[in-house]
Amino acid sequence: MTPATQPTQPIARKHPDELVVGLVSISDRASSGTYQDEGIPALRDWLSRTLTSPWQAVERLIPDEQALISRTLIDLVDVAGCDLVLTTGGTGPARRDVTPEATLAVATKEMPGFGEQMRQVSLHFVPTAILSRQVAVIRETASRAALIINLPGQPRAIRETLEGLRGDDGKALVQGIFAAVPYCIDLIGGPYVETDEAVVKAWRPKHAIRAKS
């Protein structure tokens, strides 16, 4: 895992539709080595199970410092060339929880539906979901754009908000947010992302679905 202090290099894509994902875990204690970070391994494992199209990750483990979080997001989008950035941690009401503020500071568009749906999913499990302040935004440069999403800090909550809630019959009761991510990336000019429908089905209007080769 690369610390935020190491300069980022532009990521070389091995395929035109390779998705470059920034994974950012935000934690004072994990970044200082007090305990093992669980956020990035959980994200990496979930993406490995879910994405069926090419992808690679750029990882950062950083403390809860607002200016550093913003610089890291800018670096991952503007320099590394990430299409999608997923953060975990720092979204509660505590004084050190500043991830949403740092994310909004680098945004050109806010995408409020993502945060609304994450809280809706989590409320099926815990009443304290209303304390979560996750946001999602688009960051645009002159040549490209990326989607940035704040996720919860716990691995289980990460999975639940991404996948949603299913009934005993396997049908979706509450949609997770990742179903909308591939089409959002289409709309901002990113690669065509495909998923394993057994985990989460990427939703697109019919005109935007590519024929399988």
Side-chain angles (χ1 to χ4, degrees), residues 156-167:
R156 179 176 176 178
I158 290 171
R159 185 182 70 252
E160 290 167 351
T161 54
L162 290 170
E163 291 185 23
L165 177 63
R166 295 178 183 269

Side-chain angles (χ1 to χ4, degrees), residues 144-160:
R144 54 186 316 281
L147 173 63
I148 304 172
I149 305 174
N150 300 157
L151 294 172
Q154 297 300 317
R156 179 176 176 178
I158 290 171
R159 185 182 70 252
E160 290 167 351

Side-chain angles (χ1 to χ4, degrees), residues 77 83-84 103-104 106-112 114 135-141 144-149 184-185 187-188:
V77 175
D83 310 292
L84 172 67
T103 302
L104 291 169
V106 306
T108 52
K109 291 187 177 76
E110 188 175 357
M111 304 293 288
F114 283 97
V135 301
V137 305
I138 303 295
R139 176 172 174 80
E140 298 161 303
T141 69
R144 54 186 316 281
L147 173 63
I148 304 172
I149 305 174
C184 182
I185 293 174
L187 292 173
I188 61 175

Side-chain angles (χ1 to χ4, degrees), residues 17-73:
D17 273 327
E18 184 173 47
L19 179 73
V20 179
V21 188
L23 304 179
V24 185
S25 186
I26 299 159
S27 168
D28 286 333
R29 290 182 293 170
S31 63
S32 67
T34 302
Y35 70 80
Q36 189 73 21
D37 174 61
E38 296 182 342
I40 287 177
L43 287 169
R44 195 189 313 116
D45 176 70
W46 190 86
L47 290 169
S48 296
R49 292 189 296 108
T50 305
L51 299 180
T52 58
S53 50
W55 68 284
Q56 61 174 302
V58 187
E59 302 173 0
R60 296 289 183 270
L61 175 58
I62 59 175
D64 293 273
E65 300 288 349
Q66 184 170 340
L68 176 58
I69 297 168
S70 290
R71 287 200 306 271
T72 300
L73 297 177

